[in-house]
């Protein structure tokens, strides 16, 4: 098909409460479905098993602030005393090349992205209930009771903005949740407004059928 029918990639933003399993969902979207994921930068220390350039670009505060001044982020935020930001270059290149890209970021960042990219698809991954979320956080066994409460309080803030998301997907059964997110992304890329360039290309071809 002619190149003129090519379309820009979609920007997909995934957020969700801490402990809801969004990290697992996103990892599986990458490994099982080949989605393209943006790697954020952060000033927080790497956790065990995390690799620089894979989970995050781990940076010193000064380096991060330099990048802010330089305009290197699409969005950035301060979350629990650390900076987190989405580097601009990779996202812009992916969209330009027609590849969809997923950002796994918190709510303020997501709403910030939506302001700059009104076509971005916002997906919020939630838990069946807050009681269930608390059980999952306790079940990890890695967090103190105080940290769990901190995260649940954060969830209270995040819930305020849940209704600004395009889709709210409940992670009850992991496999079902992954498949639902994938379906939502696929359907989204077929929406009329995301197919305008394609439609224009088809019409152009039809206007010249003698030359095909
Ligand atoms: P964690 O420290 O647990 O890896 O991440 C803490 C929170 O920061 C999560 O909600 C995660 O989605 C969010 N986050 C990760 N990268 C970014 C980013 O680039 N921008 C924003 N706004 N949030 C991010």
């Amino acid at each position: 098909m002619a190149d003129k029918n090519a379309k820009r990639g979609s920007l997909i933003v995934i957020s969700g409460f801490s402990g809801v399993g969004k990290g697992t969902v996103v990892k599986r979207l990458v490994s099982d479905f080949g989605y393209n994921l943006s790697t954020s930068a952060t000033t927080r220390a790497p956790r065990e098993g995390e690799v620089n350039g894979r989970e995050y670009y781990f940076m010193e505060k000064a380096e991060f602030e330099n990048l802010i001044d330089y305009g290197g982020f699409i969005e950035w935020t301060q979350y629990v005393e650390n900076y987190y930001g989405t580097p601009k270059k990779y996202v812009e290149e992916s969209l330009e090349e027609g590849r969809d890209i997923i950002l796994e970021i918190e709510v303020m960042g997501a709403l910030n992205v939506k302001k700059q990219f009104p076509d971005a698809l916002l997906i919020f991954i939630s838990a069946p209930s807050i009681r269930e979320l608390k059980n999952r956080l306790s079940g990890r066994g890695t967090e103190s009771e105080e940290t769990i409460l901190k995260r649940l309080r954060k969830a209270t803030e995040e819930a305020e903005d849940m209704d600004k998301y395009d889709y709210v997907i409940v992670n009850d059964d992991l496999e079902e949740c992954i498949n639902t997110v994938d379906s939502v992304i696929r359907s989204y890329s077929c929406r009329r407004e995301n197919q305008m360039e394609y439609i224009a290309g088809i019409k152009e071809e039809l206007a010249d059928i003698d030359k095909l």
Side-chain angles (χ1 to χ4, degrees):
M1 187 163 286
D3 199 28
K4 61 182 183 263
N5 294 2
K7 65 192 205 63
R8 267 172 74 84
S10 303
L11 187 52
I12 301 135
V13 180
I14 299 186
S15 311
F17 299 130
S18 171
V20 83
K22 61 182 185 300
T24 311
V25 171
V26 168
K27 273 196 188 127
R28 289 280 304 280
L29 287 168
V30 173
S31 65
D32 296 14
F33 297 98
Y35 283 104
N36 189 23
L37 180 67
S38 155
T39 305
S40 295
T42 184
T43 57
R44 85 147 160 74
R47 295 191 186 118
E48 213 182 305
E50 287 185 333
V51 176
N52 188 31
R54 191 178 68 189
E55 278 78 12
Y56 284 104
Y57 296 109
F58 296 100
M59 289 181 183
E60 294 300 322
K61 201 167 169 227
E63 194 185 348
F64 196 104
E65 285 171 346
N66 242 339
L67 257 173
I68 297 175
D69 292 344
Y70 169 77
F73 291 115
I74 286 183
E75 61 76 39
W76 61 272
T77 193
Q78 221 163 354
Y79 182 92
V80 200
E81 291 150 29
N82 285 301
Y83 283 131
Y84 292 83
T86 307
K88 197 181 263 179
K89 196 162 173 273
Y90 184 65
V91 172
E92 286 188 342
E93 278 172 8
S94 300
L95 296 177
E96 210 51 54
E97 287 163 14
R99 282 183 294 142
D100 296 348
I101 184 156
I102 297 181
L103 314 184
E104 193 236 294
I105 62 178
E106 53 66 68
V107 171
M108 293 322 292
L111 299 180
N112 207 336
V113 168
K114 187 77 178 177
K115 266 191 223 145
Q116 296 172 64
F117 298 84
D119 291 343
L121 168 65
L122 265 54
I123 299 175
F124 193 94
I125 303 196
S126 189
S129 67
I130 294 303
R131 181 176 296 278
E132 169 69 19
L133 187 66
K134 185 161 187 262
N135 288 344
R136 286 188 202 175
L137 284 167
S138 312
R140 277 180 176 179
T142 52
E143 259 99 8
S144 65
E145 196 61 27
E146 192 197 328
T147 310
I148 292 172
L149 276 179
K150 240 191 217 168
R151 288 179 185 243
L152 289 175
R153 270 190 218 109
K154 187 81 196 166
T156 313
E157 276 171 39
E158 289 173 335
E160 282 296 308
D161 290 314
M162 254 169 107
D163 59 4
K164 299 194 176 78
Y165 280 68
D166 298 304
Y167 289 85
V168 176
I169 299 174
V170 175
N171 183 13
D172 192 357
D173 176 86
L174 178 66
E175 298 306 318
E176 195 182 321
C177 177
I178 294 166
N179 286 324
T180 307
V181 176
D182 174 54
S183 307
V184 162
I185 298 173
R186 281 171 199 269
S187 323
Y188 177 73
S189 70
C190 300
R191 281 177 64 131
R192 182 193 55 223
E193 53 269 40
N194 291 328
Q195 295 284 38
M196 295 316 274
E197 280 179 47
Y198 172 78
I199 294 170
I202 287 289
K203 285 183 179 167
E204 242 178 76
E205 279 190 297
L206 282 168
D208 260 336
I209 35 178
D210 298 344
K211 294 190 191 133
L212 291 178

